[in-house]
Coordinates of all heavy atoms in Angstrom, one line a residue:
M411 N 88.4 130.6 104.9 CA 89.2 130.8 106.1 C 90.2 132.0 105.8 O 90.8 132.1 104.7 CB 90.0 129.6 106.5 CG 89.2 128.5 107.0 SD 89.5 128.2 108.7 CE 90.1 126.6 108.7
G412 N 90.3 132.9 106.7 CA 91.3 134.0 106.6 C 92.7 133.5 106.7 O 92.9 132.3 106.9
Q413 N 93.6 134.3 106.6 CA 95.1 134.0 106.8 C 95.4 133.7 108.2 O 95.0 134.3 109.1 CB 96.0 135.2 106.4 CG 95.9 135.6 105.0 CD 96.8 134.7 104.1 OE1 97.5 133.9 104.6 NE2 96.6 134.8 102.7
A414 N 96.0 132.4 108.4 CA 96.4 132.0 109.7 C 97.6 132.9 110.0 O 98.6 132.9 109.2 CB 96.7 130.6 109.7
K415 N 97.5 133.5 111.2 CA 98.7 134.5 111.4 C 99.6 133.8 112.4 O 99.3 133.5 113.7 CB 98.1 135.7 112.1 CG 98.3 136.9 111.1 CD 98.7 138.1 111.8 CE 99.4 139.0 110.7 NZ 100.0 140.2 111.3
S416 N 100.8 133.6 112.0 CA 101.9 133.1 112.7 C 101.5 132.1 113.8 O 101.7 132.4 115.0 CB 102.8 134.2 113.3 OG 102.1 135.1 114.2
R417 N 100.9 131.1 113.4 CA 100.6 130.0 114.4 C 101.7 129.1 114.6 O 101.6 127.9 115.0 CB 99.3 129.3 114.0 CG 98.0 130.0 114.2 CD 97.2 129.5 115.3 NE 95.8 129.7 115.2 CZ 95.1 128.8 114.7 NH1 95.7 127.6 114.2 NH2 93.8 128.9 114.6
G418 N 102.9 129.3 114.1 CA 104.0 128.5 114.0 C 104.1 127.9 112.6 O 103.1 127.8 111.9
S419 N 105.3 127.4 112.4 CA 105.6 126.8 111.0 C 104.8 125.5 110.9 O 104.3 124.9 111.9 CB 107.0 126.6 110.8 OG 107.5 125.7 111.7
R420 N 104.7 125.0 109.8 CA 104.1 123.6 109.6 C 104.9 122.6 110.3 O 104.3 121.7 111.0 CB 104.2 123.3 108.0 CG 103.6 122.0 107.7 CD 103.8 121.8 106.2 NE 103.6 120.3 105.9 CZ 102.6 119.7 105.8 NH1 101.4 120.2 106.1 NH2 102.6 118.3 105.6
E421 N 106.2 122.7 110.4 CA 107.1 121.8 111.2 C 106.7 121.9 112.6 O 106.6 120.8 113.3 CB 108.5 122.1 110.9 CG 109.1 121.8 109.5 CD 108.6 122.6 108.5 OE1 108.4 123.8 108.7 OE2 108.5 122.1 107.3
Q422 N 106.6 123.1 113.2 CA 106.3 123.2 114.5 C 104.9 122.5 114.9 O 104.8 122.0 116.0 CB 106.2 124.7 114.9 CG 107.7 125.3 115.1 CD 107.7 126.8 115.3 OE1 106.8 127.5 114.7 NE2 108.6 127.4 116.0
R423 N 103.9 122.7 114.0 CA 102.7 122.2 114.3 C 102.7 120.6 114.2 O 102.1 120.0 115.1 CB 101.6 122.7 113.3 CG 101.1 124.0 113.7 CD 100.0 124.6 112.8 NE 100.7 125.1 111.6 CZ 100.3 124.8 110.4 NH1 99.3 124.0 110.2 NH2 100.8 125.3 109.4
I424 N 103.5 120.0 113.2 CA 103.7 118.7 113.3 C 104.4 118.1 114.4 O 104.0 117.2 115.1 CB 104.3 118.2 111.9 CG1 103.6 118.5 110.7 CG2 104.9 116.7 112.0 CD1 104.3 118.3 109.4
E425 N 105.4 118.9 114.9 CA 106.1 118.5 116.1 C 105.2 118.5 117.3 O 105.2 117.5 118.1 CB 107.3 119.5 116.3 CG 108.5 118.9 116.7 CD 109.7 119.9 116.6 OE1 109.7 120.8 117.7 OE2 110.4 120.0 115.6
A426 N 104.4 119.5 117.5 CA 103.4 119.6 118.4 C 102.4 118.4 118.5 O 102.1 117.9 119.5 CB 102.7 121.0 118.5
A427 N 102.1 118.0 117.2 CA 101.1 117.0 117.2 C 101.7 115.6 117.5 O 101.1 114.8 118.2 CB 100.5 116.9 115.7
V428 N 102.9 115.4 117.1 CA 103.7 114.2 117.5 C 103.9 114.2 119.0 O 103.7 113.1 119.7 CB 105.0 114.2 116.7 CG1 105.9 113.0 117.3 CG2 104.8 114.1 115.4
A429 N 104.2 115.4 119.6 CA 104.4 115.3 121.0 C 103.1 115.0 121.8 O 103.1 114.3 122.7 CB 104.9 116.7 121.5
L430 N 102.0 115.5 121.3 CA 100.7 115.3 121.8 C 100.4 113.8 121.8 O 99.9 113.2 122.7 CB 99.6 116.1 121.1 CG 98.2 115.9 121.6 CD1 98.1 116.4 123.1 CD2 97.2 116.7 120.8
Q431 N 100.6 113.2 120.7 CA 100.4 111.7 120.5 C 101.2 110.9 121.4 O 100.8 110.0 122.0 CB 100.8 111.3 119.1 CG 99.7 111.7 118.0 CD 98.6 110.7 117.9 OE1 98.7 109.6 117.6 NE2 97.5 111.2 118.4
E432 N 102.6 111.4 121.5 CA 103.4 110.6 122.5 C 103.0 110.8 123.9 O 102.9 109.8 124.7 CB 104.9 111.1 122.3 CG 105.6 110.6 121.1 CD 105.7 109.2 121.1 OE1 106.1 108.4 122.1 OE2 105.4 108.6 120.1
A433 N 102.4 111.9 124.2 CA 101.8 112.1 125.6 C 100.6 111.3 125.9 O 100.3 110.8 127.0 CB 101.5 113.5 125.8
L434 N 99.9 110.9 124.8 CA 98.7 110.1 124.9 C 99.0 108.7 124.9 O 98.1 107.9 125.2 CB 97.6 110.5 123.8 CG 97.1 111.9 123.9 CD1 96.3 112.1 122.6 CD2 96.1 111.9 125.1
K435 N 100.2 108.3 124.5 CA 100.5 106.9 124.2 C 100.5 106.3 125.6 O 101.1 106.7 126.5 CB 101.9 106.8 123.6 CG 102.3 105.4 123.3 CD 103.7 105.5 122.5 CE 104.2 104.0 122.5 NZ 105.5 103.9 121.7
P436 N 99.8 105.1 125.7 CA 99.8 104.4 127.0 C 101.3 103.8 127.2 O 101.9 103.4 126.3 CB 98.9 103.4 126.9 CG 98.5 103.2 125.5 CD 98.9 104.5 124.7
T437 N 101.7 103.8 128.5 CA 103.0 103.2 128.8 C 102.9 101.7 128.8 O 103.9 101.0 128.6 CB 103.6 103.8 130.2 OG1 102.5 103.5 131.1 CG2 103.9 105.2 130.0
E438 N 101.7 101.2 129.1 CA 101.5 99.7 129.1 C 100.0 99.4 128.8 O 99.1 100.2 129.1 CB 101.9 99.2 130.5 CG 101.9 97.7 130.7 CD 102.4 97.3 132.0 OE1 101.4 97.1 132.8 OE2 103.5 97.1 132.2
M439 N 99.8 98.3 128.2 CA 98.5 97.8 127.8 C 98.4 96.4 128.4 O 99.4 95.8 128.5 CB 98.3 97.9 126.3 CG 98.3 99.2 125.7 SD 98.2 99.2 123.9 CE 96.5 98.7 123.6
I440 N 97.1 96.0 128.5 CA 97.0 94.5 129.0 C 96.4 93.9 127.7 O 95.4 94.3 127.1 CB 96.0 94.5 130.1 CG1 96.4 95.4 131.3 CG2 95.6 93.1 130.4 CD1 97.8 94.9 131.9
C441 N 97.0 92.7 127.3 CA 96.6 92.0 126.2 C 95.1 91.4 126.5 O 94.9 90.9 127.4 CB 97.5 90.7 126.0 SG 97.0 89.6 124.8
N442 N 94.4 91.7 125.2 CA 92.9 91.2 125.3 C 92.8 89.6 125.3 O 91.8 89.1 125.8 CB 92.2 91.7 124.0 CG 91.6 93.1 124.3 OD1 91.4 93.5 125.4 ND2 91.3 93.8 123.1
E443 N 93.8 88.9 124.8 CA 93.9 87.7 124.6 C 94.2 86.8 125.9 O 93.5 86.0 126.4 CB 94.7 87.1 123.4 CG 94.0 87.4 122.1 CD 92.7 86.6 121.9 OE1 92.9 85.4 122.1 OE2 91.7 87.2 121.4
C444 N 95.4 87.1 126.3 CA 96.0 86.3 127.4 C 96.1 87.1 128.7 O 96.5 86.6 129.8 CB 97.4 85.8 127.0 SG 98.5 87.0 126.9
G445 N 95.9 88.4 128.7 CA 96.0 89.2 129.9 C 97.4 89.6 130.3 O 97.6 90.2 131.4
G446 N 98.3 89.4 129.4 CA 99.7 89.7 129.6 C 100.0 91.2 129.4 O 99.1 91.8 128.9
A447 N 101.1 91.5 129.9 CA 101.5 93.1 129.7 C 102.2 93.3 128.5 O 103.0 92.5 128.0 CB 102.4 93.4 131.0
I448 N 101.8 94.3 127.9 CA 102.3 94.9 126.6 C 103.0 96.1 127.0 O 102.4 97.1 127.3 CB 101.4 95.1 125.5 CG1 100.6 93.8 125.3 CG2 102.0 95.5 124.2 CD1 99.3 93.9 124.3
S449 N 104.4 96.3 126.9 CA 105.1 97.4 127.3 C 105.1 98.4 126.2 O 104.8 98.0 125.0 CB 106.5 97.0 127.7 OG 107.2 96.5 126.7
G450 N 105.6 99.7 126.5 CA 105.5 100.7 125.5 C 106.2 100.5 124.2 O 105.8 100.8 123.1
G451 N 107.3 99.7 124.2 CA 108.1 99.4 123.1 C 107.3 98.5 122.0 O 107.7 98.5 121.0
D452 N 106.3 97.8 122.5 CA 105.5 97.0 121.6 C 104.1 97.7 121.3 O 103.2 97.1 120.7 CB 105.2 95.7 122.3 CG 106.4 94.8 122.4 OD1 107.2 94.8 121.4 OD2 106.6 94.2 123.4
I453 N 104.0 99.0 121.7 CA 102.9 99.7 121.4 C 103.2 100.7 120.1 O 104.0 101.4 120.2 CB 102.3 100.5 122.6 CG1 102.0 99.5 123.7 CG2 101.0 101.3 122.2 CD1 101.6 100.1 124.9
Y454 N 102.2 100.6 119.2 CA 102.5 101.5 117.9 C 101.4 102.4 117.8 O 100.2 102.1 117.7 CB 102.5 100.5 116.7 CG 103.7 99.5 116.8 CD1 103.5 98.3 117.5 CD2 105.0 99.8 116.5 CE1 104.5 97.5 117.7 CE2 106.0 98.9 116.7 CZ 105.7 97.7 117.2 OH 106.8 96.8 117.4
M455 N 101.8 103.7 117.6 CA 100.7 104.7 117.4 C 100.1 104.6 116.0 O 100.8 104.4 115.0 CB 101.3 106.1 117.6 CG 101.9 106.3 119.0 SD 100.7 106.1 120.3 CE 99.6 107.5 120.1
Q456 N 98.8 104.9 115.8 CA 98.1 104.8 114.6 C 97.8 106.3 114.2 O 97.5 107.1 115.1 CB 96.9 103.9 114.6 CG 97.2 102.5 115.2 CD 98.0 101.8 114.2 OE1 97.9 101.9 113.0 NE2 98.9 100.9 114.6
N457 N 97.8 106.5 112.9 CA 97.3 107.8 112.4 C 95.9 108.1 112.6 O 95.0 107.4 112.1 CB 97.7 107.9 110.8 CG 97.5 109.2 110.4 OD1 97.0 110.2 111.1 ND2 97.8 109.5 109.1
T458 N 95.5 109.1 113.3 CA 94.1 109.4 113.5 C 93.6 110.8 113.0 O 92.6 111.3 113.3 CB 93.9 109.5 115.0 OG1 94.7 110.5 115.7 CG2 94.0 108.2 115.7
R459 N 94.5 111.2 112.0 CA 94.2 112.6 111.4 C 92.8 112.7 110.8 O 92.1 113.7 110.9 CB 95.4 112.9 110.3 CG 95.6 114.3 110.4 CD 96.6 114.7 109.3 NE 97.8 113.6 109.4 CZ 98.5 113.4 108.4 NH1 98.5 114.2 107.3 NH2 99.5 112.5 108.4
N460 N 92.4 111.6 110.1 CA 91.1 111.7 109.5 C 90.0 111.0 110.2 O 89.1 110.6 109.6 CB 91.2 111.0 108.0 CG 92.2 111.8 107.2 OD1 92.2 113.1 107.1 ND2 93.0 111.2 106.5
M461 N 90.1 111.0 111.5 CA 89.2 110.3 112.3 C 88.6 111.3 113.3 O 89.2 111.5 114.5 CB 89.9 109.1 113.1 CG 90.4 108.1 112.2 SD 91.2 106.8 113.0 CE 92.1 105.9 111.7
P462 N 87.5 111.9 113.1 CA 86.9 112.9 114.0 C 86.6 112.3 115.2 O 86.0 111.2 115.3 CB 85.7 113.4 113.1 CG 85.5 112.5 112.0 CD 86.8 111.9 111.8
G463 N 86.9 113.0 116.4 CA 86.5 112.4 117.6 C 87.5 111.4 118.2 O 87.3 111.1 119.4
V464 N 88.6 111.2 117.5 CA 89.6 110.3 118.0 C 90.9 111.0 118.3 O 91.4 111.6 117.3 CB 89.8 109.1 117.0 CG1 90.9 108.1 117.6 CG2 88.6 108.4 116.7
D465 N 91.3 111.0 119.6 CA 92.3 111.7 119.9 C 93.8 110.8 119.7 O 94.9 111.3 119.4 CB 92.4 112.1 121.4 CG 91.3 113.2 121.5 OD1 91.1 113.9 120.7 OD2 90.7 113.1 122.7
M466 N 93.6 109.5 120.0 CA 94.7 108.6 120.0 C 94.2 107.2 119.6 O 93.1 106.7 120.0 CB 95.3 108.6 121.3 CG 96.6 107.8 121.6 SD 96.4 106.0 121.6 CE 95.6 105.8 123.1
A467 N 94.9 106.6 118.7 CA 94.7 105.2 118.4 C 96.0 104.4 118.5 O 97.0 105.0 117.8 CB 94.0 105.0 117.1
C468 N 96.2 103.3 119.1 CA 97.4 102.6 119.1 C 97.1 101.0 119.0 O 96.0 100.7 119.4 CB 98.2 102.9 120.3 SG 97.6 102.4 121.9
S469 N 98.1 100.4 118.6 CA 97.9 98.9 118.7 C 99.2 98.3 119.4 O 100.3 98.7 119.2 CB 97.8 98.3 117.3 OG 99.0 98.8 116.5
G470 N 98.9 97.4 120.4 CA 99.9 96.9 121.1 C 100.0 95.3 120.7 O 99.0 94.7 120.5
V471 N 101.3 94.9 120.4 CA 101.5 93.5 120.0 C 102.0 92.7 121.3 O 103.1 93.1 121.9 CB 102.6 93.4 118.9 CG1 102.7 92.0 118.5 CG2 102.1 94.3 117.7
C472 N 101.2 91.8 121.7 CA 101.6 90.9 122.9 C 102.8 90.2 122.7 O 102.8 89.4 121.8 CB 100.3 90.1 123.2 SG 100.8 89.0 124.7
P473 N 103.8 90.4 123.6 CA 105.0 89.5 123.4 C 104.8 88.1 123.7 O 105.6 87.3 123.3 CB 106.0 90.2 124.5 CG 105.2 91.0 125.4 CD 103.9 91.3 124.7
Q474 N 103.7 87.7 124.4 CA 103.5 86.3 124.8 C 102.8 85.6 123.7 O 103.2 84.6 123.1 CB 102.7 86.3 126.1 CG 103.5 86.4 127.4 CD 103.7 87.9 127.8 OE1 102.6 88.6 127.8 NE2 104.8 88.4 128.2
C475 N 101.6 86.1 123.3 CA 100.7 85.4 122.3 C 100.7 86.0 121.0 O 100.0 85.5 120.1 CB 99.3 85.2 123.0 SG 98.4 86.7 123.0
K476 N 101.4 87.2 120.9 CA 101.4 87.8 119.5 C 100.1 88.3 119.0 O 100.0 88.8 117.8 CB 102.0 87.0 118.4 CG 103.3 86.3 118.7 CD 104.4 87.3 118.9 CE 105.7 86.8 119.3 NZ 106.7 87.7 119.9
S477 N 99.1 88.4 119.7 CA 97.8 89.0 119.4 C 97.9 90.5 119.5 O 98.7 91.1 120.3 CB 96.6 88.4 120.1 OG 96.6 88.7 121.4
V478 N 97.1 91.3 118.8 CA 97.1 92.7 118.8 C 95.9 93.2 119.6 O 94.7 92.7 119.5 CB 96.9 93.2 117.4 CG1 96.8 94.7 117.4 CG2 98.1 92.8 116.5
T479 N 96.2 94.1 120.5 CA 95.2 94.7 121.3 C 95.2 96.2 121.0 O 96.2 96.9 120.9 CB 95.5 94.6 122.8 OG1 95.4 93.2 123.2 CG2 94.5 95.3 123.6
W480 N 94.0 96.6 120.6 CA 93.9 98.1 120.1 C 93.7 99.0 121.3 O 92.9 98.6 122.2 CB 92.9 98.2 119.1 CG 93.1 97.5 117.8 CD1 92.9 96.2 117.6 CD2 93.8 98.2 116.7 NE1 93.4 96.0 116.3 CE2 93.9 97.1 115.7 CE3 94.3 99.3 116.4 CZ2 94.5 97.3 114.5 CZ3 94.9 99.6 115.2 CH2 94.9 98.6 114.1
G481 N 94.1 100.2 121.3 CA 93.8 101.2 122.3 C 93.3 102.4 121.7 O 94.0 102.9 120.8
F482 N 92.2 102.9 122.0 CA 91.6 104.1 121.4 C 91.3 105.1 122.5 O 91.0 104.8 123.6 CB 90.3 103.9 120.7 CG 90.3 102.8 119.8 CD1 89.3 101.9 119.6 CD2 91.4 102.7 118.8 CE1 89.4 100.8 118.6 CE2 91.5 101.8 117.9 CZ 90.5 100.8 117.8
K483 N 91.5 106.3 122.2 CA 91.2 107.4 123.1 C 90.3 108.5 122.3 O 90.8 108.9 121.2 CB 92.4 108.0 123.8 CG 92.1 108.7 125.1 CD 93.3 109.1 125.7 CE 93.9 108.0 126.7 NZ 95.2 108.4 127.4
G484 N 89.3 108.9 122.7 CA 88.5 110.0 122.1 C 87.1 110.0 122.6 O 86.9 109.5 123.7
T485 N 86.2 110.7 121.9 CA 84.8 110.7 122.2 C 84.2 109.4 122.0 O 84.8 108.5 121.3 CB 84.1 111.8 121.4 OG1 84.0 111.3 120.1 CG2 84.7 113.1 121.4
E486 N 83.1 109.1 122.7 CA 82.4 107.9 122.7 C 82.1 107.6 121.1 O 82.3 106.5 120.7 CB 81.1 108.0 123.5 CG 80.6 106.6 123.9 CD 79.3 106.7 124.9 OE1 79.5 107.4 125.8 OE2 78.4 106.1 124.5
Q487 N 81.5 108.6 120.5 CA 81.1 108.4 119.1 C 82.4 108.1 118.2 O 82.4 107.2 117.3 CB 80.5 109.6 118.5 CG 79.0 109.7 118.8 CD 78.4 110.9 118.3 OE1 79.0 112.0 118.2 NE2 77.1 110.8 117.7
G488 N 83.5 108.9 118.3 CA 84.7 108.6 117.5 C 85.3 107.2 117.8 O 85.6 106.6 116.9
V489 N 85.4 106.8 119.0 CA 85.9 105.6 119.4 C 85.0 104.4 118.8 O 85.5 103.5 118.3 CB 86.1 105.4 120.8 CG1 86.4 104.0 121.3 CG2 87.2 106.4 121.4
A490 N 83.7 104.6 118.8 CA 82.8 103.6 118.3 C 82.9 103.6 116.8 O 83.0 102.4 116.3 CB 81.3 104.0 118.8
A491 N 83.0 104.6 116.1 CA 83.2 104.7 114.7 C 84.5 104.0 114.3 O 84.6 103.2 113.3 CB 83.1 106.0 114.2
L492 N 85.6 104.4 115.0 CA 86.8 103.7 114.7 C 86.8 102.2 115.0 O 87.4 101.4 114.2 CB 87.9 104.4 115.6 CG 89.4 103.9 115.5 CD1 89.9 103.9 114.0 CD2 90.2 104.7 116.4
S493 N 86.2 101.8 116.1 CA 86.2 100.4 116.4 C 85.4 99.6 115.3 O 85.9 98.5 114.8 CB 85.5 100.1 117.6 OG 86.1 100.7 118.7
A494 N 84.4 100.2 114.9 CA 83.6 99.6 113.7 C 84.4 99.4 112.4 O 84.4 98.5 111.7 CB 82.3 100.3 113.5
A495 N 85.1 100.6 112.1 CA 85.9 100.7 110.9 C 87.0 99.6 110.9 O 87.4 98.9 109.9 CB 86.6 102.1 110.8
I496 N 87.6 99.4 112.0 CA 88.6 98.5 112.2 C 88.1 97.0 112.1 O 88.7 96.2 111.3 CB 89.5 98.7 113.5 CG1 90.1 100.0 113.5 CG2 90.4 97.5 113.8 CD1 91.5 100.2 114.0
A497 N 87.0 96.8 112.7 CA 86.4 95.5 112.7 C 86.0 95.2 111.3 O 86.1 94.0 110.8 CB 85.2 95.4 113.6
S498 N 85.5 96.1 110.5 CA 85.1 95.7 109.2 C 86.3 95.7 108.1 O 86.2 94.8 107.2 CB 84.1 96.8 108.6 OG 84.7 98.1 108.4
E499 N 87.3 96.5 108.4 CA 88.5 96.4 107.5 C 89.3 95.2 107.8 O 90.0 94.7 107.0 CB 89.2 97.8 107.6 CG 88.8 98.7 106.7 CD 89.7 99.9 106.8 OE1 90.9 99.9 106.7 OE2 89.1 101.1 107.0
H500 N 89.5 94.9 109.1 CA 90.4 93.9 109.5 C 89.7 93.0 110.4 O 89.9 92.8 111.6 CB 91.5 94.4 110.4 CG 92.2 95.6 109.6 ND1 93.0 95.5 108.5 CD2 92.1 97.0 109.8 CE1 93.4 96.6 108.1 NE2 92.9 97.6 108.7
P501 N 88.7 92.0 109.8 CA 88.0 91.1 110.6 C 89.0 90.0 111.2 O 88.7 89.5 112.3 CB 87.1 90.4 109.6 CG 87.7 90.7 108.3 CD 88.4 92.0 108.4
D502 N 90.2 89.9 110.6 CA 91.1 88.9 111.2 C 92.4 89.7 111.6 O 93.5 89.6 111.1 CB 91.5 87.9 110.1 CG 92.4 86.8 110.7 OD1 92.7 86.8 111.8 OD2 92.9 86.0 109.7
V503 N 92.3 90.5 112.7 CA 93.3 91.4 113.1 C 94.5 90.6 113.6 O 95.7 90.9 113.3 CB 92.8 92.3 114.2 CG1 94.0 93.0 114.9 CG2 92.0 93.4 113.6
I504 N 94.3 89.4 114.2 CA 95.3 88.7 114.8 C 96.2 88.2 113.7 O 97.4 88.1 113.8 CB 94.8 87.4 115.6 CG1 94.1 88.1 116.9 CG2 95.8 86.5 116.1 CD1 93.3 87.1 117.6
G505 N 95.6 87.8 112.5 CA 96.3 87.3 111.4 C 97.2 88.3 110.7 O 98.0 88.1 109.9
S506 N 96.8 89.6 110.9 CA 97.6 90.7 110.3 C 98.5 91.5 111.2 O 98.6 92.7 111.0 CB 96.6 91.6 109.5 OG 95.6 92.0 110.4
V507 N 99.0 90.9 112.2 CA 99.8 91.5 113.1 C 101.0 92.3 112.4 O 101.3 93.4 112.7 CB 100.4 90.5 114.2 CG1 101.5 91.3 115.1 CG2 99.2 90.1 115.1
Q508 N 101.5 91.6 111.5 CA 102.7 92.2 110.7 C 102.4 93.5 110.1 O 103.2 94.4 110.1 CB 103.1 91.2 109.6 CG 104.4 90.4 109.6 CD 105.3 90.8 110.9 OE1 105.1 90.2 111.8 NE2 106.3 91.6 110.6
A509 N 101.2 93.8 109.6 CA 100.8 94.9 109.0 C 100.9 96.1 109.9 O 101.1 97.2 109.6 CB 99.5 94.8 108.4
Y510 N 100.8 95.8 111.2 CA 100.8 96.8 112.2 C 102.1 96.9 112.9 O 102.4 98.0 113.5 CB 99.6 96.6 113.2 CG 98.4 96.8 112.5 CD1 97.6 95.7 112.1 CD2 97.9 98.0 112.2 CE1 96.5 95.8 111.4 CE2 96.7 98.1 111.5 CZ 96.0 97.1 111.1 OH 94.8 97.2 110.4
T511 N 102.9 96.0 112.8 CA 104.2 96.1 113.5 C 105.2 96.8 112.5 O 106.2 97.4 113.1 CB 104.8 94.8 114.0 OG1 104.8 93.9 112.9 CG2 103.8 94.2 115.1
N512 N 105.0 96.7 111.2 CA 105.9 97.4 110.3 C 105.6 98.9 110.4 O 104.4 99.3 110.5 CB 105.6 97.0 108.9 CG 106.0 95.5 108.7 OD1 106.9 95.0 109.4 ND2 105.5 94.9 107.5
K513 N 106.7 99.6 110.4 CA 106.5 101.1 110.4 C 106.0 101.5 109.0 O 106.4 101.0 108.0 CB 107.9 101.8 110.6 CG 108.4 101.6 112.1 CD 107.9 102.9 112.8 CE 108.4 103.0 114.2 NZ 108.5 101.9 115.2
S514 N 104.9 102.4 109.1 CA 104.3 102.9 107.9 C 104.9 104.2 107.5 O 105.4 104.8 108.3 CB 102.9 102.9 108.0 OG 102.4 103.8 109.0
Ligands
ZN2069 ZN1 98.7 87.9 124.8

């Protein structure tokens, strides 16, 4: 790759990426378990930098039943790969709610 010419500083690019993530963040999710509403304050963005085809991943913690509902946005392939990865890494997602509510 040649020299990238003034595409903005590293900070500016990170800022733009964060802004894009925030723009993609759902304002509300519906709990997979109980159908309750999960508001934005209970929705946590996940890092998708190393996930080709995935634009956005988030997990919402249901205030009623405490189960986690995942939200993905991206290509069909990207979302399918991410779903499979999460299912294999976290077969017991409900039991590991804490891991996702803690800021990483
Ligand atoms: Zn629920």
